[in-house]
Coordinates of all heavy atoms in Angstrom, one line a residue:
Chain A
M1 N -7.3 -25.5 20.3 CA -6.6 -24.9 19.2 C -5.3 -24.2 19.8 O -5.3 -23.6 20.8 CB -7.5 -23.8 18.6 CG -8.6 -24.4 17.7 SD -9.4 -23.0 16.8 CE -10.9 -22.8 17.7
D3 N -3.3 -21.8 18.5 CA -3.0 -20.7 17.5 C -2.6 -19.4 18.2 O -3.4 -18.5 18.3 CB -4.2 -20.6 16.6 CG -4.5 -21.9 15.8 OD1 -3.5 -22.6 15.4 OD2 -5.6 -22.2 15.7
Y6 N -3.5 -15.4 17.4 CA -4.7 -14.6 17.8 C -5.1 -14.8 19.2 O -5.9 -14.0 19.8 CB -5.9 -14.8 16.8 CG -6.4 -16.2 16.6 CD1 -7.2 -16.8 17.5 CD2 -6.1 -16.8 15.4 CE1 -7.8 -18.1 17.2 CE2 -6.6 -18.0 15.1 CZ -7.5 -18.7 16.0 OH -8.0 -19.9 15.7
D7 N -4.6 -15.8 19.9 CA -4.8 -15.9 21.3 C -4.3 -14.7 22.0 O -4.9 -14.0 22.8 CB -4.2 -17.1 22.0 CG -5.0 -18.4 21.7 OD1 -6.2 -18.3 21.3 OD2 -4.5 -19.5 21.8
L9 N -3.9 -11.8 20.8 CA -4.6 -10.6 20.5 C -5.8 -10.3 21.4 O -6.3 -9.2 21.5 CB -5.1 -10.6 19.0 CG -4.0 -10.6 18.0 CD1 -4.6 -10.9 16.6 CD2 -3.3 -9.3 18.0
H13 N -4.5 -4.6 25.9 CA -3.9 -3.9 24.8 C -2.8 -2.9 25.2 O -2.1 -2.4 24.4 CB -4.9 -3.2 24.0 CG -6.1 -4.1 23.7 ND1 -6.0 -5.1 22.8 CD2 -7.3 -4.2 24.3 CE1 -7.1 -5.8 22.9 NE2 -7.9 -5.3 23.8
D16 N 2.4 -3.5 24.4 CA 2.8 -3.6 23.0 C 3.3 -5.0 22.7 O 3.2 -5.5 21.6 CB 3.9 -2.6 22.7 CG 3.4 -1.6 21.7 OD1 2.1 -1.5 21.5 OD2 4.2 -0.9 21.0
W19 N 1.5 -7.9 20.8 CA 1.2 -7.8 19.4 C 2.5 -8.2 18.7 O 3.6 -8.2 19.2 CB 0.8 -6.4 19.0 CG -0.4 -5.9 19.7 CD1 -0.4 -5.4 21.0 CD2 -1.7 -6.0 19.3 NE1 -1.7 -5.1 21.3 CE2 -2.5 -5.4 20.3 CE3 -2.3 -6.4 18.1 CZ2 -3.9 -5.3 20.2 CZ3 -3.7 -6.2 17.9 CH2 -4.5 -5.7 19.0
A20 N 2.3 -8.7 17.4 CA 3.5 -9.2 16.7 C 4.5 -8.1 16.5 O 5.7 -8.4 16.6 CB 3.0 -9.7 15.4
G22 N 5.3 -3.6 17.0 CA 4.8 -2.3 17.5 C 4.1 -1.6 16.3 O 4.0 -2.1 15.2
T23 N 3.7 -0.3 16.6 CA 3.0 0.4 15.6 C 3.7 1.7 15.2 O 3.4 2.3 14.2 CB 1.6 0.8 16.1 OG1 1.7 1.6 17.2 CG2 0.7 -0.3 16.3
Q61 N 2.7 11.9 -2.9 CA 1.2 11.9 -3.1 C 0.8 11.5 -4.5 O -0.1 10.8 -4.7 CB 0.7 13.4 -2.8 CG -0.8 13.6 -2.8 CD -1.5 13.1 -1.6 OE1 -0.9 12.7 -0.6 NE2 -2.9 13.1 -1.7
S68 N -3.0 0.4 -6.5 CA -4.1 -0.5 -7.0 C -4.5 -0.2 -8.5 O -5.4 -0.8 -9.0 CB -5.4 -0.4 -6.2 OG -6.2 0.8 -6.5
R69 N -3.7 0.7 -9.2 CA -4.0 1.0 -10.6 C -2.8 0.7 -11.5 O -2.8 1.1 -12.6 CB -4.4 2.4 -10.7 CG -5.7 2.8 -10.1 CD -6.1 4.3 -10.3 NE -7.4 4.6 -9.8 CZ -7.7 4.8 -8.5 NH1 -6.8 4.9 -7.6 NH2 -9.0 5.1 -8.2
P71 N 0.2 -1.2 -13.8 CA 0.1 -2.2 -14.9 C 0.4 -3.6 -14.4 O -0.1 -4.5 -15.0 CB 1.2 -1.8 -15.9 CG 1.6 -0.4 -15.5 CD 1.3 -0.2 -14.1
E74 N 3.6 -6.1 -9.3 CA 5.0 -5.7 -8.9 C 5.2 -4.2 -8.9 O 5.9 -3.6 -8.1 CB 6.0 -6.3 -9.8 CG 6.2 -7.8 -9.6 CD 5.2 -8.7 -10.4 OE1 4.2 -8.1 -10.9 OE2 5.4 -9.9 -10.4
V77 N 3.6 -2.5 -5.9 CA 4.5 -2.6 -4.8 C 5.6 -1.6 -4.9 O 6.0 -0.8 -4.0 CB 5.1 -4.0 -4.6 CG1 6.1 -4.1 -3.6 CG2 3.9 -5.0 -4.3
N81 N 6.4 1.7 -2.7 CA 7.7 1.7 -1.9 C 8.5 3.0 -2.2 O 9.0 3.6 -1.2 CB 8.5 0.6 -2.5 CG 9.5 0.0 -1.5 OD1 9.1 0.0 -0.3 ND2 10.6 -0.4 -1.9
L84 N 6.7 5.7 -0.3 CA 7.0 5.7 1.1 C 8.4 6.2 1.5 O 8.5 6.9 2.5 CB 6.9 4.2 1.6 CG 5.5 3.7 1.9 CD1 5.5 2.2 2.0 CD2 4.9 4.3 3.1
D108 N 2.8 18.0 10.1 CA 1.4 18.1 9.6 C 0.9 19.5 9.4 O 0.0 19.8 8.5 CB 0.5 17.3 10.6 CG 0.7 15.8 10.5 OD1 1.1 15.3 9.4 OD2 0.4 15.1 11.5
Y112 N -0.7 20.1 5.9 CA -2.2 20.2 5.8 C -2.7 21.7 5.9 O -3.8 21.9 5.6 CB -2.8 19.4 6.9 CG -2.6 17.9 6.6 CD1 -1.5 17.2 7.3 CD2 -3.4 17.2 5.7 CE1 -1.3 15.9 7.0 CE2 -3.1 15.9 5.4 CZ -2.1 15.2 6.1 OH -1.9 13.9 5.8
D193 N 12.2 1.1 -26.0 CA 12.7 0.1 -26.9 C 11.9 -1.1 -26.9 O 12.3 -2.2 -27.1 CB 14.2 -0.2 -26.6 CG 14.9 -1.0 -27.7 OD1 14.4 -0.9 -28.9 OD2 15.9 -1.6 -27.5
G194 N 10.6 -1.0 -26.6 CA 9.7 -2.1 -26.5 C 8.9 -2.3 -27.7 O 9.4 -2.9 -28.7
M285 N -5.7 16.1 -0.6 CA -4.8 15.7 0.6 C -5.3 16.4 1.9 O -5.2 15.8 2.9 CB -3.4 16.1 0.2 CG -2.4 15.6 1.3 SD -0.7 15.9 0.8 CE -0.4 17.5 1.6
A295 N -9.5 17.5 16.0 CA -9.4 16.0 16.0 C -7.9 15.6 16.2 O -7.0 16.3 15.8 CB -9.9 15.5 14.7
V296 N -7.7 14.4 16.8 CA -6.4 13.8 16.9 C -6.3 12.5 16.1 O -7.2 11.7 16.0 CB -6.0 13.6 18.3 CG1 -5.8 14.8 19.1 CG2 -7.0 12.7 19.1
W297 N -5.2 12.4 15.4 CA -5.0 11.2 14.5 C -3.8 10.4 14.9 O -3.3 9.5 14.3 CB -4.9 11.7 13.1 CG -6.1 12.4 12.7 CD1 -6.3 13.8 12.5 CD2 -7.4 11.9 12.3 NE1 -7.5 14.1 12.1 CE2 -8.3 13.0 12.0 CE3 -8.0 10.6 12.2 CZ2 -9.6 12.8 11.6 CZ3 -9.3 10.4 11.9 CH2 -10.1 11.6 11.6
Chain B
A55 N -4.8 9.0 -0.3 CA -4.6 10.4 -0.7 C -5.2 11.4 0.4 O -4.7 12.5 0.5 CB -5.3 10.7 -2.0
A57 N -5.5 10.8 3.8 CA -5.1 10.4 5.2 C -4.9 11.7 6.0 O -4.2 12.6 5.5 CB -3.9 9.5 5.2
P58 N -5.4 11.8 7.2 CA -5.4 13.1 7.9 C -4.1 13.5 8.6 O -4.0 14.5 9.2 CB -6.5 12.9 9.0 CG -6.5 11.4 9.2 CD -6.1 10.8 7.9
S59 N -3.0 12.6 8.6 CA -1.7 13.0 9.0 C -0.7 12.3 8.2 O -1.0 11.2 7.6 CB -1.5 12.7 10.5 OG -1.3 11.3 10.7
L60 N 0.5 12.8 8.2 CA 1.5 12.1 7.3 C 1.9 10.8 7.9 O 2.2 9.8 7.2 CB 2.8 13.0 7.2 CG 2.5 14.3 6.5 CD1 3.9 15.1 6.3 CD2 1.8 14.2 5.1
R62 N -0.2 8.7 9.4 CA -1.3 7.8 9.0 C -1.2 7.5 7.5 O -1.5 6.4 7.1 CB -2.7 8.4 9.3 CG -3.0 8.5 10.8 CD -3.1 7.2 11.5 NE -3.2 7.4 12.9 CZ -3.0 6.4 13.8 NH1 -2.6 5.2 13.4 NH2 -3.1 6.6 15.1
K63 N -0.7 8.5 6.8 CA -0.6 8.2 5.3 C 0.5 7.1 5.1 O 0.3 6.2 4.3 CB -0.2 9.5 4.6 CG -0.2 9.4 3.1 CD 0.3 10.7 2.4 CE -0.5 11.9 2.5 NZ -1.8 11.8 1.8
A64 N 1.6 7.3 5.8 CA 2.7 6.3 5.7 C 2.2 4.9 6.1 O 2.5 3.9 5.4 CB 3.9 6.7 6.5
Q71 N 0.3 -1.6 0.3 CA 1.5 -2.2 -0.4 C 1.6 -3.7 0.1 O 1.9 -4.5 -0.7 CB 2.7 -1.4 -0.1 CG 4.0 -2.0 -0.8 CD 5.3 -1.4 -0.2 OE1 5.4 -1.1 1.0 NE2 6.2 -1.3 -1.1
R91 N -0.9 -16.6 -13.2 CA -1.5 -15.4 -12.7 C -2.4 -14.7 -13.7 O -3.5 -14.2 -13.4 CB -0.4 -14.4 -12.2 CG -0.9 -13.4 -11.2 CD -0.1 -12.1 -11.2 NE 1.3 -12.2 -11.0 CZ 2.1 -11.2 -11.0 NH1 1.7 -9.9 -11.1 NH2 3.4 -11.4 -10.9
R139 N -0.6 -24.1 9.0 CA -0.3 -25.6 9.2 C -1.1 -26.4 8.2 O -1.3 -27.6 8.3 CB -0.7 -26.0 10.6 CG 0.3 -25.3 11.6 CD 0.0 -25.9 13.0 NE -1.3 -25.4 13.5 CZ -2.3 -26.1 14.1 NH1 -2.1 -27.4 14.2 NH2 -3.4 -25.6 14.5
S157 N -1.2 -9.4 11.4 CA -1.2 -9.1 12.8 C -0.7 -7.7 13.1 O -1.2 -6.9 13.9 CB -0.3 -10.1 13.5 OG -0.1 -9.8 14.8
F158 N 0.3 -7.3 12.3 CA 0.8 -5.9 12.4 C -0.3 -4.9 12.0 O -0.5 -3.9 12.6 CB 2.0 -5.8 11.4 CG 2.8 -4.5 11.5 CD1 3.0 -3.8 12.6 CD2 3.4 -4.1 10.3 CE1 3.8 -2.7 12.6 CE2 4.2 -2.9 10.3 CZ 4.3 -2.2 11.5
Q160 N -3.5 -5.4 12.1 CA -4.6 -5.3 13.0 C -4.2 -4.4 14.2 O -5.0 -3.6 14.7 CB -4.9 -6.7 13.6 CG -6.3 -6.7 14.2 CD -6.5 -7.8 15.2 OE1 -5.5 -8.4 15.7 NE2 -7.7 -8.0 15.6
R161 N -3.0 -4.5 14.6 CA -2.5 -3.7 15.7 C -2.6 -2.2 15.4 O -3.0 -1.4 16.2 CB -1.0 -4.1 16.1 CG -0.4 -3.3 17.2 CD -1.0 -3.8 18.5 NE -0.4 -3.1 19.6 CZ -0.9 -1.9 20.2 NH1 -2.0 -1.3 19.6 NH2 -0.3 -1.4 21.2
Y164 N -6.2 -1.0 15.3 CA -6.7 -0.8 16.7 C -6.1 0.5 17.3 O -6.8 1.2 18.0 CB -6.4 -2.0 17.5 CG -7.1 -2.1 18.8 CD1 -8.4 -2.5 18.8 CD2 -6.5 -1.8 20.0 CE1 -9.1 -2.6 20.0 CE2 -7.2 -1.9 21.2 CZ -8.5 -2.3 21.2 OH -9.1 -2.4 22.4
G173 N -10.0 11.4 21.0 CA -10.1 12.7 20.3 C -11.5 13.4 20.6 O -11.9 13.4 21.7
Q177 N -15.2 12.3 16.4 CA -14.4 11.1 16.1 C -14.9 9.9 16.8 O -14.9 8.8 16.1 CB -12.9 11.4 16.5 CG -12.2 12.4 15.6 CD -10.8 12.5 16.0 OE1 -10.4 13.0 17.1 NE2 -9.9 12.0 15.2
H217 N -10.5 -26.1 11.1 CA -11.6 -25.8 12.0 C -12.8 -25.4 11.1 O -12.6 -24.9 10.0 CB -11.2 -24.6 12.8 CG -9.9 -24.7 13.6 ND1 -9.7 -25.6 14.6 CD2 -8.7 -24.1 13.4 CE1 -8.5 -25.6 15.0 NE2 -7.8 -24.6 14.3
K225 N -14.5 -18.2 17.9 CA -13.2 -17.7 18.4 C -13.0 -16.2 18.2 O -12.5 -15.5 19.1 CB -12.1 -18.5 17.6 CG -10.7 -18.2 18.0 CD -10.3 -19.2 19.0 CE -8.9 -18.8 19.6 NZ -8.6 -19.4 20.8
Q233 N -11.8 -6.6 23.4 CA -11.1 -5.5 22.6 C -12.1 -4.4 22.5 O -11.7 -3.2 22.6 CB -10.6 -6.0 21.3 CG -9.5 -7.1 21.4 CD -9.0 -7.6 20.1 OE1 -9.7 -7.6 19.1 NE2 -7.8 -8.2 20.1
H282 N -12.8 -1.4 -11.4 CA -11.5 -0.8 -11.0 C -10.4 -1.7 -11.4 O -9.4 -1.3 -12.0 CB -11.5 -0.5 -9.5 CG -10.3 0.2 -9.0 ND1 -10.3 1.4 -8.4 CD2 -9.0 -0.2 -8.9 CE1 -9.1 1.8 -8.0 NE2 -8.3 0.8 -8.3
W292 N -0.5 -2.4 -22.5 CA 0.5 -2.0 -23.4 C 1.9 -2.0 -22.7 O 2.9 -2.2 -23.3 CB 0.2 -0.6 -24.0 CG 0.3 0.5 -23.0 CD1 -0.7 1.0 -22.2 CD2 1.4 1.4 -22.7 NE1 -0.3 2.0 -21.4 CE2 1.0 2.3 -21.7 CE3 2.7 1.4 -23.2 CZ2 1.9 3.3 -21.2 CZ3 3.6 2.4 -22.6 CH2 3.2 3.3 -21.6
V293 N 1.9 -1.7 -21.3 CA 3.1 -1.7 -20.6 C 3.7 -3.2 -20.5 O 4.9 -3.4 -20.7 CB 2.9 -1.1 -19.2 CG1 4.2 -1.2 -18.3 CG2 2.4 0.3 -19.3
R294 N 2.8 -4.1 -20.2 CA 3.2 -5.5 -20.1 C 3.7 -6.0 -21.4 O 4.7 -6.7 -21.5 CB 2.1 -6.4 -19.5 CG 1.7 -6.0 -18.1 CD 0.7 -7.0 -17.5 NE -0.5 -7.1 -18.2 CZ -1.6 -6.4 -18.0 NH1 -1.6 -5.4 -17.1 NH2 -2.7 -6.6 -18.7
A296 N 5.1 -4.2 -23.8 CA 6.4 -3.6 -24.0 C 7.5 -4.3 -23.3 O 8.6 -4.6 -23.8 CB 6.3 -2.1 -23.7
K303 N 13.7 -9.0 -27.2 CA 14.8 -8.4 -28.0 C 16.1 -8.6 -27.3 O 17.1 -9.0 -28.0 CB 14.6 -6.9 -28.1 CG 13.8 -6.4 -29.2 CD 13.8 -4.9 -29.3 CE 12.5 -4.4 -29.9 NZ 12.4 -2.9 -29.9
R304 N 16.2 -8.4 -26.0 CA 17.4 -8.6 -25.3 C 17.9 -10.1 -25.4 O 19.1 -10.3 -25.6 CB 17.2 -8.3 -23.8 CG 17.1 -6.8 -23.5 CD 18.4 -6.0 -23.7 NE 18.2 -4.7 -24.2 CZ 17.9 -4.3 -25.4 NH1 17.8 -5.1 -26.4 NH2 17.7 -3.0 -25.7

Side-chain angles (χ1 to χ4, degrees):
Chain A
M1 286 191 258
D3 299 321
Y6 59 77
D7 284 345
L9 292 172
H13 312 288
D16 245 18
W19 301 81
T23 57
Q61 181 80 6
S68 80
R69 293 181 172 85
E74 286 83 350
V77 173
N81 211 33
L84 279 166
D108 289 333
Y112 294 98
D193 195 18
M285 187 173 94
V296 289
W297 302 102
Chain B
S59 76
L60 296 185
R62 292 295 171 199
K63 190 188 291 290
Q71 180 195 34
R91 202 206 306 177
R139 295 183 289 130
S157 170
F158 187 35
Q160 198 206 13
R161 181 75 179 89
Y164 193 79
Q177 286 185 291
H217 307 294
K225 183 90 187 163
Q233 294 179 338
H282 181 118
W292 70 272
V293 176
R294 297 190 297 275
K303 270 187 214 179
R304 289 289 150 281

